[in-house]
Amino acid sequence: MTSRLHLTVDGPAAAPVLLLGSSLGTAAAMWEPQVPALAERFRVIRYDHLGHGRSAVPSGLYTVDLLGRELLRTLDDLDVAWVHYAGLSLGGMVGMWLATHAPERVRRLALLCTSASLGPPEQWRDRAATVRADGLPAIADAVVARWFTPAFAAARPEVVAAHRTMLTATSSAGYAACCEAIAAMDLRPDLDRVTAPTLVVAGADDPATPVEHARGIVGRIPQARLVVVDAAAHLANVEQPEQVCRLLLEHFHEERGDG
């Protein structure tokens, strides 16, 4: 295999493939609340972005184009002609790139708590510089505070702690490089090329990618619809796992047997 991405695979080998992309600073475990139900119907493949989890941490400049092409290489290695795709945050950004640059590879698309352009660029470059100098613990509390609502954090401190540990276990170099990829990203001009029916999910209380970012995506993708999940911040699939799982099952179930 030529791919540098680490994969976690669940579900029947003959089922349609559902590819799951995680957020900046997390890995495949982020999707664990949804995997049992999704794997009953799909071949669920979770991947870690470059610089994250157990994937490679190549040196040099990262771009969303690089992350997307690495994912295409992985699909080629697996001999997978097309997938359903769901991505949250950075995973959604890569999903938009995939659906615009290789639309024949994406049958249905779900974009969660993400943005097609997330400025200002200086914010991301400053964060990258901080992480390179001081490590991920220097920003962990501020990042995790955007991942969950205060009410959820108070009620489920063990879940918050587990995700903070996932963040701080991420490669500082890989995280910083992905921050710089987001700084340079503007996917908006190409979104009208998406042919896949698209579900866009926003957390009503998400300070990282507010609802207006989701509305901007819906306004540019021809077959897109928006669902706003109440009582959810950035990691909506963790904070409202049952509702997000139901939305994904309904969206992908419609054509799960095609192809």
Side-chain angles (χ1 to χ4, degrees):
M1 294 179 66
T2 59
S3 174
R4 297 173 289 182
L5 300 183
H6 179 264
L7 307 178
T8 304
V9 183
D10 298 274
V17 173
L18 173 55
L19 196 60
L20 300 180
S22 305
S23 72
L24 177 69
T26 71
M30 188 204 82
W31 288 104
E32 285 181 358
Q34 285 73 46
V35 167
L38 294 176
E40 291 181 3
R41 303 182 183 183
F42 302 99
R43 184 69 161 172
V44 178
I45 301 178
R46 293 175 280 168
Y47 73 94
D48 297 338
H49 299 289
L50 288 179
H52 284 64
R54 295 169 63 185
S55 289
V57 188
S59 59
L61 179 68
Y62 287 25
T63 63
V64 173
D65 182 89
L66 172 70
L67 301 179
R69 292 191 185 283
E70 193 70 37
L71 191 53
L72 278 178
R73 185 178 298 115
T74 300
L75 295 181
D76 291 341
D77 286 343
L78 296 172
D79 196 26
V80 173
W82 62 266
V83 298
H84 297 314
Y85 184 97
L88 189 147
S89 184
L90 179 59
M93 297 168 191
V94 175
M96 283 183 272
W97 184 95
L98 189 67
T100 57
H101 288 79
E104 74 283 358
R105 307 297 288 270
V106 181
R107 185 65 55 89
R108 296 182 78 84
L109 178 66
L111 306 170
L112 294 82
C113 303
T114 191
S115 178
S117 179
L118 193 58
E122 295 77 13
Q123 166 189 297
W124 292 102
R125 297 188 183 110
D126 289 347
R127 188 190 297 193
T130 298
V131 169
R132 285 199 173 95
D134 302 321
L136 276 159
I139 66 164
D141 289 341
V143 169
V144 173
R146 291 190 288 272
W147 282 0
F148 304 105
T149 62
F152 183 86
R156 300 294 305 275
E158 76 286 358
V159 175
V160 175
H163 285 78
R164 188 185 190 280
T165 297
M166 198 186 313
L167 171 65
T168 56
T170 303
S171 160
S172 294
Y175 183 95
C178 285
C179 286
E180 290 164 344
I182 294 172
M185 175 195 73
D186 188 355
L187 301 168
R188 293 172 295 182
D190 295 326
L191 288 183
D192 60 358
R193 294 162 52 187
V194 176
T195 58
T198 301
L199 169 68
V200 181
V201 176
D205 304 304
D206 182 1
T209 52
V211 176
E212 56 262 31
H213 289 257
R215 291 196 180 102
I217 294 169
V218 171
R220 292 173 181 268
I221 294 179
Q223 299 184 74
R225 66 185 181 96
L226 172 64
V227 176
V228 178
V229 176
D230 290 331
H234 194 51
L235 296 192
N237 75 301
V238 179
E239 193 157 2
Q240 296 296 339
E242 293 85 3
Q243 184 177 356
V244 169
C245 191
R246 176 180 56 79
L247 289 169
L248 294 177
L249 285 170
E250 289 174 353
H251 181 63
F252 293 121
H253 181 67
E254 294 182 32
E255 293 185 10
R256 59 177 275 257
D258 286 3

